[in-house]
């Protein structure tokens, strides 16, 4: 397969926009499946986990390859639920292009915005597909308008629908000036209906005017009122898409098999190949100031990024990688440049959802699973041993919710520990820690559903029965004022003693987690002990001082200190820095931080007063209101996660079951003095 004929794409959207249904139709039309799988009956190819089939949602991103018009398309189907946003994050890091799905009724929804922002972070070119045009309330133009208003997408219709809701029966291609009608699952190419000619002309005028801004040849033809060749329009459009200047919008109804083949044409015509994306830039690990590039060529040194781990009961741990340059073969020795450790490739698999096929080698652009990786985790770079490179890793959002779990039988504690280790290996947004004092295991994740799925998997896959506590919010601690502290640590126990002295300044460092600055110039603290000072602070931050929650957003500046030629050691400076930090922390007006969520509520007009009143009681703030559809509003705001347990039931009750909501993590914010005192009292009583 030539690289220019390869497309690595992701399909991403808000929950229930129809991502998995679109993927299933793609697999049918490309000949991978003979029968179309459906989400609602648990038969979807890409939703193969038991938990996905039971709930009718996508939980883990799944990968599959298919062919269309002599091009190979590697597809990653991602979850829409915000609790599994890490799956979208890591998929977007390794794909070249994205198909963003929007529901023709719901339009731009909260998770649509999250996915869009994630794609912006990795500068992923994208096309949009407005799905469910057959649904009551479908409005194609409204969705395009919302994309421009809320996503700043520069969205341009490349198709317009013929009819909508029950009357949706065709699509007009603006570029080709052709109409496609759908009759009993058949697509018929025909001329544009008379009553749609004016609309088509108007849409084509907008498309040409937009592309003329980016292409001089089109501009000249347009000003001379000459016919613009279709191929020139496609070439100019493709160039603008790759530079993230426009987002072409297509439409259809995947469940009714309308528009999916045309979407496949668009993927091949407009989304990039690895050659279009060009060289991957990384860091030279021997000189982090220096950048290194790798071109998508089999002749370049090998480089790849590990983006996903799965524990398979038959072959063990599978490490999913995207290869950016060079070749990899079975038995080859490679370097994990993130960890500085060598790895040996056992076997290489091409993945088709839950199935796999062994191959002997893979090259640039390929997404494959490797067997035999011992140290590699999500976000690690793999490269040629002699040609080192470190690629940009994967952003992992913070966990916001905790749960205490313990095995029903004490003898299964080790088995539970092994299960949790495997699950946290697979999912970087999931953490587990064991408290020696209370003999309790605490797991943390992105939301209630995330942890519910984890508990399900512990029972089903690892056969460990567990007792589960109530979910609790994962708080953080920080300081609010700058403080300097000088601490002298001196201990004589006969023989060699311990001596260290540190003068440290601690500053609030909002949103930047932890930063350490060394300002020692006189050698009062020898260079070899400075990492120990940093380590002492970092270790103390892992388990808080007010509570057991981690400390964040601190800048530590080492100003001065003293040492002893015999009694000073790493251990002495670690201990000294730790005590110095603890003393300073309590003087620096410490506060607890709580996760604040961004919330969007869709509610009929009749219940707006009830919804806002209830949200105010939960310390929530409404930021904006906008018309959702006739008789309904979308409320956007922020609310502390602590106040939101059981909210789904309350919202159902106060709106007679007619409202729905979604929320995602926004940021950590300080608790008020009154709420902090209450929380600290409750935590003390629970111990």
């Amino acid at each position: 397969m030539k690289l220019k004929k390869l497309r690595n794409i992701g399909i991403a959207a808000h929950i229930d926009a129809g991502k998995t249904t679109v993927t299933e139709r793609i697999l049918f039309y490309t000949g991978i499946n003979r029968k179309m799988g459906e989400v609602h009956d648990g038969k979807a190819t890409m939703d193969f986990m038991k938990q996905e089939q039971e709930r009718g949602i996508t939980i883990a991103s799944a990968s599959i390859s298919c062919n269309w018009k002599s091009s190979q398309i590697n597809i990653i189907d991602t979850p829409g639920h915000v609790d599994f946003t890490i799956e979208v994050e890591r998929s977007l890091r390794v794909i070249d292009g994205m198909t963003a799905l929007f529901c023709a009724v719901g339009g731009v929804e909260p998770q649509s915005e999250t996915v869009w922002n994630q794609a912006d972070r990795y500068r992923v070119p994208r096309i949009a597909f407005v799905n469910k045009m057959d649904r009551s309330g479908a409005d194609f133009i409204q969705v395009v308008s919302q994309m421009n208003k809320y996503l700043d997408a520069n969205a341009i219709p490349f198709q317009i629908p013929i009819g909508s809701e029950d009357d949706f029966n065709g699509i007009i291609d603006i570029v080709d000036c052709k109409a496609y009608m759908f009759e009993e699952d058949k697509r018929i190419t025909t001329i544009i209906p008379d009553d749609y000619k004016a609309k088509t002309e108007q849409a084509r005028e907008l498309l040409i005017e937009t592309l003329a801004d980016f292409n001089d040849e089109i501009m000249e033809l347009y000003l001379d009122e000459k016919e613009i060749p279709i191929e020139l329009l496609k070439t100019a459009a493709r160039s603008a898409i790759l530079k993230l200047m426009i987002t072409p919008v297509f439409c259809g109804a995947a469940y009714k098999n309308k528009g999916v083949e045309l979407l496949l044409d668009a993927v091949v015509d407009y989304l990039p190949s690895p050659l279009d994306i060009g060289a991957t830039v990384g860091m030279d690990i021997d000189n982090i100031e220096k950048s290194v590039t790798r071109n998508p060529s089999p002749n370049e040194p090998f480089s790849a990024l590990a983006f996903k781990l799965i524990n398979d009961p038959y072959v063990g741990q599978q490490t999913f990688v995207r290869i950016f340059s060079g070749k990899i073969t079975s038995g080859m020795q490679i370097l994990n440049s993130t960890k500085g450790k060598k790895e040996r490739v056992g076997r290489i698999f091409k993945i088709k959802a839950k199935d796999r096929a062994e191959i002997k080698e893979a090259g640039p652009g390929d997404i494959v699973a490797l067997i035999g990786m011992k140290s590699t985790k999500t976000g690690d770079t793999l490269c040629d041993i002699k040609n080192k490179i470190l690629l940009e890793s994967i952003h992992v959002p913070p966990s916001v919710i905790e749960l205490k779990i313990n095995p029903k039988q004490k003898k299964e504690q080790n088995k539970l520990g092994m299960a949790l280790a495997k699950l946290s290996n697979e999912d970087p947004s999931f953490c587990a820690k064991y408290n020696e004092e209370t003999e309790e295991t605490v797991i943390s994740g992105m939301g209630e559903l995330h942890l519910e799925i984890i508990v399900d998997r512990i029972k089903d896959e690892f056969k460990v029965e567990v007792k589960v506590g109530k979910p609790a919010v994962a708080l953080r601690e920080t300081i609010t004022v700058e403080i300097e502290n000088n601490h002298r640590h001196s201990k004589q126990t006969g023989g060699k003693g311990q001596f260290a002295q540190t003068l440290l300044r601690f500053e609030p460092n909002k949103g930047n987690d932890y930063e350490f600055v060394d300002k020692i110039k006189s050698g009062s603290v020898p260079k070899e002990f400075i990492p120990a000072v940093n380590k002492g602070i970092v270790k103390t931050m892992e388990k808080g001082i007010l509570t057991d929650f981690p400390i964040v957003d601190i800048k530590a500046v080492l100003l001065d200190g003293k040492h002893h030629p015999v009694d000073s050691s790493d251990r002495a400076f670690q201990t000294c820095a730790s005590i110095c930090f603890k003393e300073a922390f309590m003087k620096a007006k410490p506060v607890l931080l709580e996760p604040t969520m961004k919330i969007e509520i869709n509610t009929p007009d009749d219940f707006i007063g009830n919804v806002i009143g209830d949200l105010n009681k939960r310390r929530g703030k409404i930021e904006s209101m906008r018309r959702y559809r006739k008789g309904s509003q979308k409320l956007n705001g922020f609310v502390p996660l602590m106040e939101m347990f059981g909210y789904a039931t309350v919202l159902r009750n106060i709106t007679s079951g007619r409202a729905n909501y979604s929320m995602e993590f926004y940021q950590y914010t300080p608790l008020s003095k009154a709420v902090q005192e209450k929380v600290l009292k409750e935590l003390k009583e629970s111990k």
Side-chain angles (χ1 to χ4, degrees):
M1 173 65 62
K2 288 180 180 175
L3 272 176
K4 70 176 183 179
K5 293 285 189 180
L6 180 61
R7 302 286 181 272
N8 283 316
I9 69 160
I11 298 182
H14 187 87
I15 193 165
D16 283 341
K19 294 175 299 300
T20 301
T21 303
V22 167
T23 310
E24 292 300 320
R25 297 306 182 266
I26 287 173
L27 298 183
F28 175 76
Y29 286 121
T30 56
I32 297 292
N33 288 348
R34 291 183 183 178
K35 184 174 179 286
M36 295 184 200
E38 304 295 359
V39 174
H40 59 80
D41 62 11
K43 296 286 172 58
T45 306
M46 304 299 266
D47 287 349
F48 54 83
M49 283 171 65
K50 178 174 176 278
Q51 290 79 11
E52 292 177 316
Q53 291 166 353
E54 286 172 352
R55 290 169 175 80
I57 60 169
T58 302
I59 291 166
S61 53
S63 174
I64 202 159
S65 292
C66 57
N67 292 298
W68 184 255
K69 291 190 173 176
S70 77
S71 289
Q72 181 184 318
I73 305 173
N74 294 332
I75 303 168
I76 297 179
D77 172 35
T78 62
H81 199 287
V82 70
D83 281 19
F84 310 107
T85 192
I86 182 65
E87 294 288 341
V88 184
E89 189 78 35
R90 54 182 165 195
S91 301
L92 286 171
R93 174 64 187 86
V94 297
I95 58 175
D96 298 326
M98 181 177 96
T99 300
L101 256 61
F102 297 89
C103 170
V105 182
V108 173
E109 299 190 79
Q111 191 64 6
S112 318
E113 293 187 48
T114 303
V115 167
W116 201 266
N117 293 336
Q118 286 172 306
D120 280 342
R121 182 184 293 133
Y122 297 116
R123 295 195 57 76
V124 179
R126 67 214 79 156
I127 61 175
F129 182 72
V130 179
N131 192 26
K132 303 191 179 184
M133 281 301 306
D134 57 330
R135 286 262 310 273
S136 176
D139 189 336
F140 177 75
I141 297 303
Q142 175 71 11
V143 178
V144 175
S145 169
Q146 287 180 6
M147 285 177 67
N148 286 323
K149 187 174 179 183
Y150 303 119
L151 304 178
D152 197 20
N154 200 5
I156 309 291
F158 273 46
Q159 293 175 346
I160 53 173
I162 298 174
S164 66
E165 302 181 345
D166 289 343
D167 297 327
F168 174 63
N169 55 19
I171 292 168
I172 295 168
D173 187 307
I174 304 297
V175 179
D176 286 343
C177 290
K178 288 178 185 173
Y180 300 93
M181 305 301 288
F182 301 98
E183 292 176 14
E184 296 176 359
D185 288 352
K186 286 183 183 173
R187 186 183 69 174
I188 299 157
T189 307
T190 182
I191 57 167
I192 295 166
D194 289 343
D195 50 345
Y196 277 88
K197 280 182 178 172
K199 259 189 190 177
T200 305
E201 276 302 312
Q202 195 180 352
R204 202 163 198 270
E205 185 85 1
L206 172 66
L207 174 62
I208 290 168
E209 280 178 12
T210 305
L211 292 178
D213 290 340
F214 311 122
N215 186 288
D216 292 341
E217 200 177 339
I218 291 177
M219 177 66 83
E220 282 177 31
L221 292 169
Y222 176 62
L223 293 174
D224 293 342
E225 296 184 359
K226 290 180 180 175
E227 187 62 34
I228 298 165
I230 289 169
E231 278 313 307
L232 177 58
L233 279 178
K234 285 188 174 180
T235 304
R238 194 165 197 277
S239 174
I241 293 159
L242 300 191
K243 291 171 185 167
L244 307 186
M245 289 170 169
I246 64 167
T247 306
V249 189
F250 304 88
C251 62
Y255 185 62
K256 298 282 179 66
N257 312 320
K258 295 176 180 178
V260 177
E261 291 167 288
L262 296 173
L263 177 63
L264 277 166
D265 290 345
V267 166
V268 171
D269 287 344
Y270 299 117
L271 285 182
S273 72
L275 290 176
D276 295 315
I277 296 297
T280 300
V281 181
M283 267 187 333
D284 183 336
I285 59 174
D286 296 324
N287 179 6
I288 58 170
E289 300 295 318
K290 189 179 168 190
S291 62
V292 185
T293 56
R294 293 282 184 271
N295 291 302
S297 160
N299 302 320
E300 291 260 322
F302 169 71
S303 68
L305 189 80
F307 70 96
K308 187 176 172 70
L309 272 68
I310 289 181
N311 283 290
D312 188 284
Y314 302 106
V315 295
Q317 183 176 288
Q318 297 181 111
T319 305
F320 283 72
V321 301
R322 156 72 197 262
I323 300 171
F324 289 100
S325 65
K327 281 185 180 178
I328 190 169
T329 55
S330 300
M332 179 174 165
Q333 196 174 55
I334 53 177
L335 176 71
N336 178 330
S337 58
T338 308
K339 300 277 193 315
K341 292 183 177 178
K342 290 178 182 176
E343 296 269 33
R344 187 171 292 281
V345 179
R347 298 155 80 192
I348 307 170
F349 286 116
K350 269 274 187 197
I351 301 297
K352 178 196 165 183
K354 65 179 176 182
D355 301 319
R356 55 186 175 267
E358 188 166 356
I359 56 175
K360 292 298 175 194
E361 69 170 34
D366 284 340
I367 292 173
V368 293
L370 307 181
I371 310 297
M373 303 293 102
K374 289 186 169 64
S375 309
T376 302
K377 301 279 186 293
T378 297
D380 286 0
T381 301
L382 297 170
C383 65
D384 183 78
I385 290 172
K386 291 177 182 172
N387 297 276
K388 299 171 187 174
I389 188 172
L390 187 64
L391 302 173
E392 181 190 352
S393 192
I394 293 167
H395 170 74
V396 179
S399 53
V400 293
I401 197 163
E402 292 189 341
L403 207 58
K404 288 177 182 174
I405 65 164
N406 286 299
K408 284 187 177 174
Q409 296 181 323
K410 193 121 184 170
K411 63 180 182 183
E412 293 202 307
Q413 185 66 54
N414 283 346
K415 201 174 170 186
L416 174 62
M418 287 166 67
L420 292 173
K422 285 183 177 177
L423 289 167
S424 54
N425 246 355
E426 281 185 21
D427 182 353
S429 66
F430 167 70
C431 304
K433 57 188 179 193
Y434 180 69
N435 189 321
E436 299 273 351
E437 293 169 24
T438 60
E439 295 186 338
E440 285 180 323
T441 301
V442 178
I443 60 175
S444 54
M446 298 297 295
E448 288 180 86
L449 180 61
H450 186 197
L451 295 186
E452 187 187 310
I453 300 292
I454 292 284
V455 171
D456 261 14
R457 291 186 64 192
I458 290 167
K459 292 174 184 174
D460 291 342
E461 291 174 34
F462 300 98
K463 310 298 178 199
V464 180
E465 286 299 318
V466 290
K467 294 179 286 186
V468 181
K470 285 184 179 177
V473 170
L475 301 173
R476 298 286 185 268
E477 301 178 20
T478 195
I479 59 172
T480 55
V481 296
E482 188 179 298
I483 199 102
E484 268 186 29
N485 196 43
N486 193 352
H487 182 75
R488 179 187 178 96
H489 174 67
S490 182
K491 206 172 181 183
Q492 288 299 135
T493 52
K496 189 180 176 185
Q498 283 188 42
F499 180 85
Q501 187 168 337
T502 54
L503 174 62
L504 284 150
R505 184 173 74 236
F506 299 99
E507 305 168 12
N509 199 26
K510 191 179 176 184
N512 294 312
D513 203 4
Y514 172 67
E515 201 179 331
F516 179 76
V517 179
D518 166 26
K519 287 205 170 173
I520 298 287
K521 287 177 183 165
S522 60
S524 55
V525 177
K527 277 189 176 176
E528 64 265 28
F529 296 137
I530 288 170
V533 174
N534 185 28
K535 195 173 178 183
I537 299 166
V538 169
K539 228 172 173 184
T540 311
M541 288 177 69
E542 286 171 6
K543 189 178 178 183
I545 296 164
L546 290 175
T547 64
D548 286 340
F549 293 109
I551 297 168
V552 296
D553 296 352
I554 300 273
K555 182 178 182 179
V557 184
L558 178 59
L559 301 169
D560 202 357
K562 287 181 181 174
H563 73 287
H564 187 278
V566 177
D567 292 346
S568 287
S569 63
D570 271 12
R571 187 179 165 197
F573 271 98
Q574 258 192 70
T575 307
C576 183
S578 175
I579 297 167
C580 187
F581 177 46
K582 284 176 183 175
E583 290 173 353
F585 185 86
M586 295 310 291
K587 296 174 193 169
K589 297 187 179 175
V591 291
L592 289 179
L593 302 172
E594 63 176 337
T596 297
M597 312 302 282
K598 194 175 175 185
I599 189 167
E600 181 166 296
I601 305 166
N602 301 328
T603 177
D605 292 341
D606 298 348
F607 304 107
I608 283 174
N610 295 354
V611 171
I612 292 175
D614 179 71
L615 213 59
N616 288 338
K617 285 181 200 166
R618 297 169 186 272
R619 298 189 284 128
K621 287 179 185 171
I622 297 296
E623 188 189 43
S624 66
M625 293 168 63
R626 69 182 194 249
R627 179 67 53 196
Y628 175 41
R629 60 170 84 109
K630 194 176 178 183
S632 292
Q633 299 269 1
K634 275 191 191 218
L635 308 181
N636 290 82
F638 304 97
V639 63
L641 178 61
M642 193 184 291
E643 309 291 346
M644 295 303 285
F645 293 113
Y647 182 65
T649 307
V650 173
L651 187 65
R652 264 199 306 272
N653 291 341
I654 64 175
T655 63
S656 305
R658 293 177 61 201
N660 59 66
Y661 81 102
S662 65
M663 62 182 186
E664 62 177 296
F665 174 72
Y666 175 59
Q667 65 180 23
Y668 271 94
T669 50
L671 284 172
S672 68
K673 196 174 179 185
V675 177
Q676 178 163 314
E677 283 172 8
K678 184 184 166 194
V679 169
L680 287 171
K681 188 181 173 188
E682 285 171 0
L683 288 168
K684 197 175 176 183
E685 287 169 358
S686 68
K687 284 188 177 180

